[in-house]
Amino acid sequence: MATAVAAKVFKNFIDGEWVEPRDGKAYENRNPANTDELIGMFVSSTEEEVNQAVDAAKEAYKQWRLVPAPKRGEILFRAAELLVERKEEYAMTREMGKILAETRGDVQEAIDMTYYMAGEGRRLFGQTTPSELPNKFAMSVRQSIGVCGLITPWNFPMAIPSWKIMPALICGNTVVIKPAQDTPLSVYHLVQALTDAGAPRGVVNIVSGSGSKVGVALTKHPDVPVISFTGSTAVGRVIAEACAPDFRHYSLEMGGKNIILVMEDANLDLAVDGAIWGGFGTTGQRCTAASRLGVHKAVYKEFVERFVERAKALRVGDGLDAATDVGPCINESQLKTVMEYVEIGKNEGAKLLTGGKRLQGGAYDKGWFHEPTIFGNCNPKMRIAQEEIFGPVVSVIPIENLEHGLEVANGVAYGLSASIYTRNVNRAFQATRDLYTGIVYVNAPTIGAETHLPFGGTKQTGNGHREAAIAAIDFYTEWKTIYIDYSDKLQRAQIDNS
Ligand code: NDP
C-alpha cells in the first residue's frame, strides 16, 4: 500500500548517502505473524532513483575495480566480523516470519558467505600455461565486469542478498540491489555492515520498491551489464527476455519441486526427521523445500503414519515464541495460494491426511498461518505434485522401486534439489548419478546448502549458472587471455611452431 512518507521511512542508499525519496511515496512493511506490527516504511522508488543509483555505482566502479582484490577482501572480512557481532540484532524473525533459530541461520549464511568471499580476494586464480611458441608467455586472468543489478526474493532476506553482493564485490564490481518488497530491512542491515566495514561510497546501493518498477528499470538499464535474480520462474523468464537483446550476463535461480525418495531399506526415523524438516522448515517456503515424497510401497504405510503423526504435533505460531515449530506464510497472497492448492489437491483426488486449513482465532487472526498439510496417495502427474506451492504442503507419492522413484523425481519441470534415504550404497550412488537436479543429498533432506559449494538447479530452476562457491566467481568475472611475446620477432601461432 502506498502512503505518504512517514517518520519511519527507510531511505534508499545511494552513493553512500541515505537519500530522500523523489516523489515522497513509501510502502508499509509488516510482520507476517502479526500484521498490527509495522516493521517500517520503505521507499516506493521510481526509475529516476534507479538511474541515480546506477550512475553512482558506475562512478564508484572506476576506482573499486582497481582496489587490489586482497584489500577488497579485508573490507569483506571486517563486514563478516560486524555481522557476527550483530547477529542477534539482525536476526529479524519479525520481518520474514521464520522461527528465530532459522532466522539466525539466515544471518549465519550471510556471515559464511562474507568470510568465504573475503578469502577469495587472495585467490581469484587465473591460469598460466606454456605457449606453443618460444619466448612467449600465456595466461588468463579474471576481470570485473561493471555494475551488477541484483534482484532478490523474500524467503532468505539476508542470505540470498549476500550470495550476490559478496561475490560481485570481491570480483571488483559495484552493485545496485533491489530487495523483495516483503523483506527489505535485512538488506539494509547487510549494507550497513559493509559500509561500516569501509566499503567506499557508491560501491553498494539499495533501491527499494516494486519489481514492476525498480526491477524492470534495473534489467533494462544500459549501464547494468550483469543481472542476478532469484525468484519465481515466471519472473525469471521476463528477466531473461529483458536481458537477451543487449546480451547482458544474467543468472537466474528460480523455482523448485524437490523430492525425498524413501527406499524400503531406509532408516525410517531418520527419513521422517528429514521429511518434516524438508517439508515444513521455513513453512515450506524454501526453493529447496521437500514438497514431494516418493515412498517405497513396502514402507509406505508405516512411513506415512509416522510422518503424519509428527506433522500433527508441529506447533504453528509466531516464530519469536520458543515453542513454535512453523511460522506464518509471508503474506496474504501466498496464504491464498496455499489454500487454493489444497482445494486443487482435494479435487484431484489426493487423500488429505492432515492439515488443509488456514489457522484462525485468537493471535492467528493477526497473521497468515496455515496448518502443515499432507496429501497421500498422490499421482505424480497431479498439479500438487508438479507445481511449486511454496507453503507447508507435502504430496506423498507411492513408488514401486528405485527406477520408478527416479522417473517420478525427474518428471517435473524443475531441477533444484533431490534426496534419497537408503542404506544401500549402490542405490545411493545410482541416485546421485541419475537424479537430474543441481543438488542431491543422501540420507539428508533436500535443504541445507553450504556456501562453499555451488548452488542452483537444472531445467526451469536455472539458466546454467550457479551461485555460491567458485561458481559465483565465474559469474561475476569475465576471462581475459593475455599473450606476452618477449622473442623480439614476429611469431605466428599455428604457422611458426613447427
Ligand atoms: P518473485 O519472482 O515474485 O520475486 C522475486 C523478486 O523479483 C522480487 O524482488 C520481485 O519484486 C522482483 N520482480 C518481480 N517482477 C519483476 C520484474 N518484472 N522484473 C524484475 N524484477 C521483478 O518471487 P518471490 O519473491 O515470490 O520468491 C519466491 C520464488 O523464488 C519461488 O518461486 C522460489 O522457488 C524462488 N526462489 C528460488 C531460489 C533458488 O535459489 N532457486 C531461492 C529462493 C526463492 P517484488 O518485491 O515487487 O515482489
Side-chain angles (χ1 to χ4, degrees):
M1 179 175 52
T3 62
V5 173
K8 279 180 169 180
V9 170
F10 288 82
K11 298 171 187 167
N12 284 331
F13 189 65
I14 298 176
D15 203 15
E17 311 276 345
W18 300 100
V19 297
E20 290 296 333
R22 287 232 163 172
D23 67 2
K25 289 273 166 44
Y27 72 92
E28 293 178 353
N29 182 238
R30 291 183 176 271
N31 178 351
N34 176 6
T35 51
D36 285 350
E37 192 183 346
L38 185 66
I39 306 293
M41 304 286 294
F42 292 83
V43 181
S44 300
S45 305
T46 58
E47 191 174 340
E48 290 73 50
E49 280 153 316
V50 173
N51 294 343
Q52 204 185 337
V54 172
D55 287 349
K58 193 178 169 193
E59 188 59 30
Y61 177 66
K62 292 178 187 163
Q63 292 304 318
W64 181 246
R65 76 183 185 92
L66 301 177
V67 174
K71 295 288 165 202
R72 297 197 292 258
E74 285 169 19
I75 294 175
L76 264 58
F77 190 88
R78 280 198 293 279
E81 300 280 79
L82 292 174
L83 291 172
V84 171
E85 277 172 28
R86 300 172 188 176
K87 185 171 171 182
E88 278 308 304
E89 182 194 342
Y90 285 177
M92 286 283 299
T93 283
R94 294 180 306 126
E95 186 187 32
M96 188 271 167
K98 62 177 89 165
I99 62 170
L100 186 54
E102 288 190 49
T103 317
R104 289 189 184 120
D106 196 19
V107 180
Q108 186 59 46
E109 203 167 311
I111 292 168
D112 296 345
M113 181 57 81
T114 310
Y115 275 131
Y116 175 76
M117 288 299 165
E120 278 307 308
R122 285 200 179 263
R123 282 183 288 269
L124 291 185
F125 295 136
Q127 295 124 14
T128 61
T129 183
S131 163
E132 67 186 40
L133 294 162
N135 297 328
K136 190 175 174 191
F137 187 78
M139 63 182 165
S140 57
V141 298
R142 293 180 182 275
Q143 294 251 298
S144 55
I145 306 172
V147 179
C148 303
L150 312 178
I151 301 170
T152 52
W154 45 262
N155 63 341
F156 282 81
M158 187 173 278
I160 292 178
S162 79
W163 290 4
K164 299 183 189 303
I165 293 176
M166 302 309 166
L169 294 189
I170 199 66
C171 293
N173 306 289
T174 55
V175 307
V176 177
I177 182 164
K178 187 212 96 61
Q181 287 192 88
D182 282 309
T183 58
L185 188 52
S186 288
V187 169
Y188 285 71
H189 290 157
L190 193 59
V191 169
Q192 187 68 59
L194 275 163
T195 306
D196 293 346
R201 58 188 298 163
V203 164
V204 191
N205 305 273
I206 307 174
V207 185
S208 67
S210 71
S212 56
K213 253 193 194 154
V214 178
V216 167
L218 258 184
T219 56
K220 297 200 165 146
H221 199 295
D223 291 329
V224 180
V226 180
I227 292 287
S228 178
F229 165 82
T230 300
S232 61
T233 298
V235 173
R237 187 169 286 118
V238 170
I239 288 178
E241 285 165 1
C243 290
D246 297 328
F247 309 106
R248 280 164 227 261
H249 299 223
Y250 59 96
S251 159
L252 308 174
E253 290 298 335
M254 302 173 285
K257 192 69 186 175
N258 314 289
I259 193 165
I260 292 178
L261 296 175
V262 181
M263 304 313 296
E264 72 274 33
D265 63 343
N267 174 340
L268 284 196
D269 290 334
L270 190 65
V272 170
D273 279 348
I276 289 286
W277 174 226
F280 302 116
T282 328
T283 321
Q285 300 174 121
R286 287 191 185 222
C287 47
T288 50
S291 55
R292 296 185 296 158
L293 300 178
V295 183
H296 193 282
K297 59 185 179 186
V299 291
Y300 184 86
K301 190 165 175 295
E302 186 184 352
F303 176 87
V304 166
E305 274 171 16
R306 289 205 221 171
F307 180 49
V308 168
E309 191 187 318
R310 285 280 300 280
K312 280 184 173 160
L314 292 171
R315 288 154 305 192
V316 180
D318 188 330
L320 284 174
D321 181 343
T324 297
D325 299 305
V326 177
C329 297
I330 184 71
N331 55 32
E332 188 175 13
S333 144
Q334 195 62 41
L335 174 66
K336 280 191 175 150
T337 302
V338 170
M339 291 163 70
E340 277 164 25
Y341 271 103
V342 169
E343 289 311 308
I344 290 169
K346 285 188 204 162
N347 292 335
E348 285 178 313
K351 191 167 176 199
L352 182 62
L353 299 174
T354 184
K357 288 196 296 294
R358 176 182 183 175
L359 284 160
Q360 283 175 301
Y364 285 138
D365 286 343
K366 296 192 170 190
W368 314 117
F369 297 96
H370 196 278
E371 292 176 323
T373 299
I374 301 173
F375 280 105
N377 292 342
C378 296
N379 179 310
K381 296 291 176 212
M382 288 175 174
R383 285 185 63 194
I384 55 165
Q386 286 283 321
E387 298 172 16
E388 186 178 50
I389 301 173
F390 227 56
V393 182
V394 175
S395 305
V396 192
I397 304 162
I399 58 167
E400 300 290 320
N401 50 37
L402 179 61
E403 282 63 35
H404 182 219
L406 292 170
E407 190 187 316
V408 168
N410 291 334
V412 290
Y414 302 107
L416 184 52
S417 183
S419 122
I420 183 166
Y421 281 80
T422 178
R423 283 182 278 205
N424 178 317
V425 69
N426 295 358
R427 278 194 188 139
F429 267 90
Q430 188 186 337
T432 61
R433 184 192 62 195
D434 294 341
L435 286 164
Y436 185 41
T437 51
I439 306 164
V440 174
Y441 293 89
V442 176
N443 293 327
T446 51
I447 63 183
E450 298 179 32
T451 54
H452 53 303
L453 287 104
F455 181 92
T458 61
K459 300 190 277 187
Q460 292 191 21
T461 294
N463 66 329
H465 292 290
R466 292 290 183 269
E467 294 205 286
I470 211 73
I473 301 290
D474 289 336
F475 178 69
Y476 290 101
T477 54
E478 281 177 321
W479 285 111
K480 180 175 280 178
T481 302
I482 301 171
Y483 299 101
I484 299 165
D485 192 319
Y486 55 100
S487 67
D488 240 6
K489 61 182 182 196
L490 174 67
Q491 300 196 90
R492 297 170 300 173
Q494 292 91 41
I495 296 171
D496 296 328
N497 63 349
S498 55

